[in-house]
Amino acid sequence: MPSLLLTVFLLQLFIHLVNTVGAPVITEFLWTLYNKLPTSTSTDAKAQVELRKEVVRLKREMNATSSQDQFAKWAKLRRQHDKALAQCDEKSMAPGPFSHFALFEKRRANACGPTANSFKSFKSTFDRTVTVLRWGGTNGLRFFLQFWYAKKPLFWIPKGWVPSYVEWLLAFPRAPTGSVSIQMWGIACATVVQLVSAAVVAGIVLVREQQQGRQKVKIGASDGGGKKEDQREL
């Protein structure tokens, strides 16, 4: 079954990529893409992004202003920064249903207005939906395939190539003896993907270090040549 062999390998590769990138990064990326569309939350999301930019700008200006020499300006920037930060936290905070402060947060959100409350609720629902879909498309699909094809031999090993206990291990848990089960094939694919990924990362790091070393050598050579020319002029 070459199609199943390839499916398991691609699934393990996809799981590795998801784990490497990280679930929060993927969720935030999908949330950004969703709000690029003309949806009901796109306006609130854009306003939240603008608030974040404003917070960063005020923070930079506040750090560049001396609190001793320019106290009035620094205090004004501090008040603006705290106000913008509070508004940003108010929009981005979405309390969970099992939080001890859920009732208090709900009342405060209702006081702030139905738009902020609906935005928080939708953002929380979106995050949970993406989490469920991500798990279903990775580990959930892997568990389903392992359960559905548990007794199915993916391919057979020529008789006598390996000892009998190795044949039993390769067929674990329920595949026929002498074959390779989907569980063992998945473990082998995951191991190969991790090894290749580590080798690629190590190669990239090595190439960058070599490039940085060559740049340092060039800079040192150019500095040395300049010093020699200065000595000749003297």
Side-chain angles (χ1 to χ4, degrees), residues 9-226:
F9 175 78
L10 293 178
L11 179 59
Q12 292 293 344
L13 178 61
F14 181 67
I15 292 174
H16 179 77
L17 293 176
V18 170
N19 293 333
T20 301
V21 175
V25 176
I26 295 176
T27 303
E28 190 65 24
F29 175 73
L30 293 177
W31 174 249
T32 303
L33 287 182
Y34 178 81
N35 288 301
K36 295 290 184 181
L37 302 175
T39 58
S40 58
T41 60
S42 59
T43 303
D44 293 332
K46 291 178 181 178
Q48 185 178 358
V49 172
E50 294 298 328
L51 277 175
R52 290 179 181 176
K53 292 180 179 179
E54 183 69 11
V55 169
V56 173
R57 184 187 66 82
L58 292 172
K59 183 67 175 179
R60 290 176 179 176
E61 291 185 7
M62 190 171 61
N63 292 334
T65 304
S66 175
S67 60
Q68 297 178 354
D69 299 336
Q70 298 175 309
F71 179 77
K73 181 179 179 181
W74 182 86
K76 181 179 179 181
L77 291 173
R78 179 62 183 271
R79 289 193 298 269
Q80 293 177 353
H81 173 267
D82 293 344
K83 181 180 179 181
L85 183 61
Q87 292 177 353
C88 184
D89 292 340
E90 182 181 346
K91 284 182 173 297
S92 61
M93 185 171 52
F98 302 102
S99 174
H100 296 289
F101 302 100
L103 181 59
F104 172 76
E105 296 295 344
K106 183 177 180 181
R107 290 177 179 175
R108 192 180 72 170
N110 290 331
C112 294
T115 303
N117 188 23
S118 61
F119 179 77
K120 295 176 186 177
S121 177
F122 184 83
K123 180 65 167 59
S124 179
T125 304
F126 181 87
D127 292 343
R128 289 196 297 267
T129 303
V130 171
T131 300
V132 171
L133 292 177
R134 185 180 62 251
W135 186 89
T138 54
N139 292 319
L141 181 58
R142 177 168 62 90
F143 291 148
F144 172 77
L145 291 176
Q146 290 179 354
F147 171 78
W148 191 260
Y149 295 100
K151 297 181 180 180
K152 198 81 172 180
L154 295 191
F155 59 90
W156 294 88
I157 300 175
K159 191 174 182 180
W161 273 29
V162 294
S164 58
Y165 64 89
V166 177
E167 290 183 352
W168 177 85
L169 182 63
L170 293 176
F172 183 83
R174 292 189 295 172
T177 303
S179 65
V180 176
S181 66
I182 188 172
Q183 284 83 357
M184 293 296 105
W185 176 248
I187 293 174
C189 292
T191 303
V192 170
V193 168
Q194 291 179 358
L195 291 175
V196 173
S197 176
V200 171
V201 172
I204 293 174
V205 172
L206 181 61
V207 170
R208 288 182 178 178
E209 289 180 352
Q210 290 179 351
Q211 291 178 351
Q212 292 177 358
R214 291 174 183 174
Q215 291 178 358
K216 290 180 180 179
V217 171
K218 291 180 179 179
I219 294 174
S222 60
D223 293 342

